[in-house]
Amino acid sequence: MNETSGGPIALTMGDPAGIGPDISLCTWALRRSQEIPPFLFIGDPSVLFERAKALGETIQIRETDCAGAAAAFSDALPVLPIRCPAAVVAGQPNSENAVTVTGAIDTAVRLVMNGEATAVTTNPIAKAVLYEAGFRFPGHTEYLADLAEKATGAPTLPVMMLAGPKLRTVPVTIHIPLKEVPAALTPDLIYKTSVITAGDLKRRFGVAAPRLAIAGLNPHAGEGGALGLEDDAIIRPVIDRLRAEGLDVAGPLPADTMFHDRARETFDVAICMYHDQALIPAKALGFDDSVNVTLGLPFIRTSPDHGTAFGIAGKGIARPDSLVAALRLAAELAANTAGAPR
Amino acid sequence: MTTIGAAGTKEPRPVITLAMGDPAGISPELTARLLALAEIREAAHIIAIGDRRVLDEGAKVAGVALDLEAASLDALDRASTSRHVFVDLAHLDPADVVRGEATLAGGTFATRNFRTALELARAGNADAVCFTPFNKKAMRFAYPGYDDEIRFVADVLSFTGKVREFNVLEKVWNARVTSHIPLKEVASHLSVESILAELELTRACLKDAGHDEAKIAVAGLNPHAGDGGSFGMEEIDIIEPAVERAKAIGFNVEGPLPADTVFLRALKEGFNAVLTMYHDQGQIAMKLMGFDKGVTMMGGLPFPLCTPAHGTAYDIAGKGIADVGASREAILLAARMAKRKKALAAAA
């Protein structure tokens, strides 16, 4: 995939005490058999070195930059070094190293914004650990959006997509209590989420005329108001507006019947109203291969669909499947974006 | 065991009344296929209720030959059990059926079949009741107060106990604390008592179905089951205490588990059932795990009541391609539960 990209994928370290270093090593080791696109690991090389030792692997690490990453990639794992101030123990997060965790993200965004890297793939972070160090964002994605806003000066609405081999879903609301979902579902939010999703499907996913399936909120999509009013009162008018603007949109669809094989053939993405409405089908249809993609950013960002898994860090049992899928998808999106008219 | 049938013969199979559902969909062809299946004949004696002309149309579509005993409602006890029985209410001319259309005529047909099937079970003439799919719109034309099957059954039987819908796949059942209510009302319907009551009914129904030591998973309500209170408090305030109380009284139960992986875990770890907090939390996963093979069972009634989970399938009605799998499973489950229920009652 080297020839399709102008630079490597910037891969952030994530929490060094989590499985990020483990799966990054495993993924690099699979570079030939799995055709892993070249990436530049941004973080502490000694963490990788120690983790490789713990896993009983011998590994070549080369400190380099974006320009040198692709050339190094077949022989050594390329690392842009940012060092942790405190000792790293697998499974034992330390908020003193939070500065390196966020520093790796800052660096990755800088590299992708100035064109040296083609995409950002992030390893998992632990919010609680960062909060102890004064981190003020609800999560990874919001932090990336803030960096994007600072870089471009334009307001950014990050949109989460779960992309699997069989299904793409986008939750309109994400990490909020279920009972707060109806109030959070404003027409504006559903509209903007849909427009950003359709735009990114065109520009980055190579879907010329994206077909959106928008889920209802209530059982049976409200059944004409008998089982809830939001489907007709809030979601349907947004669908009418999107259609009037020329988008191919179906809905509001009953959430329980929109994900089976035949139904999925009729759309490119499902816009869901809440976290589990998007996550239940995504995980049922592709547990290990699902990738998180953040849409709406001025750059490509993918991440594996799991957390730091402190409990298994350094034990050699963390599966790299989702990181492999995240890197591959990042490369694919970068190739599509490079070929698409801006 | 039941002694319905020709003068004093012992009928070892449970007797199941089978109501023909909406005539404009796949119900006629499904009913015909069911009555022709050897597997069903071995498991149950069926008393099917509908209109013979509509059934014969279904048999033609399905390409099956039917060998049925005709009987009237007041002479059921004299009917032979060597063949399935058909009670011809002669109340719908096939010429009045428009395929793919929900009509008053179709709703009247289905509600009357269903009512008759339920009344026969109440009178002790059957051990279980099954039906092929209804169309809710048509049911409402015929019975304006029609809310769902549970409500209709309660009305017909004047039953005031707790009736709950279970969705059944071969490997796992799904019970839910709330069902057909707006999503925003779900959280306020959850209580330790409501969750415990569902667990008790779920365990009882699983026992009737042959699972003596049922293992039940309980889903959380919020994303990541609340993530320790970050995304909602219902797990900590309500679901965890309910699970702990259930464990204390001997239930094999675990939870609250994150909803996005609870069914994957249930399959992997051998849970017999998952208790979900709201309709789509269970329905999305269940439908992805076997959309065409699912069975809906109404638990809590004096007798098992089962139906295929799918609908009337107006789009493929009359084409002869409808899969009988879910309807077959519905009857086999009803038969298994009826048999077990009787054995348990006889032992008591």
Side-chain angles (χ1 to χ4, degrees), chain A residues 29-199:
Chain A
L30 294 167
R31 67 198 175 283
R32 290 198 186 88
S33 62
Q34 302 269 317
E35 295 177 46
I36 306 294
F39 61 78
L40 175 68
F41 182 89
I42 302 171
D44 194 333
S46 65
V47 172
L48 284 180
F49 190 75
E50 293 299 322
R51 197 64 53 88
K53 224 163 52 179
L55 300 178
E57 306 273 343
T58 45
I59 194 156
Q60 292 296 317
I61 291 168
R62 185 168 308 157
E63 295 190 16
T64 181
D65 57 10
C66 284
F73 197 72
S74 66
D75 303 322
L77 198 166
V79 178
L80 183 67
I82 305 184
R83 297 178 208 280
C84 292
V88 173
V89 182
Q92 293 176 29
N94 183 342
S95 62
E96 281 179 55
N97 290 328
V99 58
T100 313
V101 174
T102 52
I105 301 169
D106 298 345
T107 304
V109 170
R110 182 170 51 76
L111 294 174
V112 76
M113 286 303 295
N114 69 19
E116 291 180 62
T118 50
V120 174
T121 298
T122 57
N123 268 306
I125 61 171
K127 278 172 282 175
V129 180
L130 298 184
Y131 288 154
E132 280 177 42
F135 187 72
R136 291 280 169 266
F137 296 88
H140 217 157
T141 299
E142 291 81 358
Y143 184 61
L144 287 159
D146 185 68
L147 293 175
E149 282 186 3
K150 282 179 182 146
T152 62
T156 300
L157 176 66
V159 169
M160 170 183 171
M161 173 191 274
L162 260 117
K166 295 181 182 166
L167 175 68
R168 301 183 188 109
T169 58
V170 168
V172 174
T173 65
I174 311 178
H175 291 131
I176 59 172
L178 189 80
K179 72 174 165 198
E180 292 175 14
V181 165
L185 283 176
T186 61
D188 188 55
L189 183 63
I190 302 168
Y191 173 79
K192 283 184 178 150
T193 303
S194 303
V195 168
I196 288 170
T197 303

Side-chain angles (χ1 to χ4, degrees), chain B residues 144-189:
Chain B
Y146 190 89
D147 207 8
D148 55 20
E149 285 79 40
I150 289 180
R151 175 74 182 283
F152 183 83
V153 172
D155 285 357
V156 169
L157 301 177
S158 309
F159 186 80
T160 54
K162 189 176 173 59
V163 184
R164 283 304 196 184
E165 187 180 312
F166 292 83
N167 288 89
V168 177
L169 285 174
E170 195 194 329
K171 290 196 176 74
V172 68
W173 289 33
N174 177 211
R176 53 204 194 215
V177 183
T178 70
S179 187
H180 292 128
I181 61 168
L183 189 86
K184 72 172 169 199
E185 293 175 16
V186 167
S188 64
H189 277 71

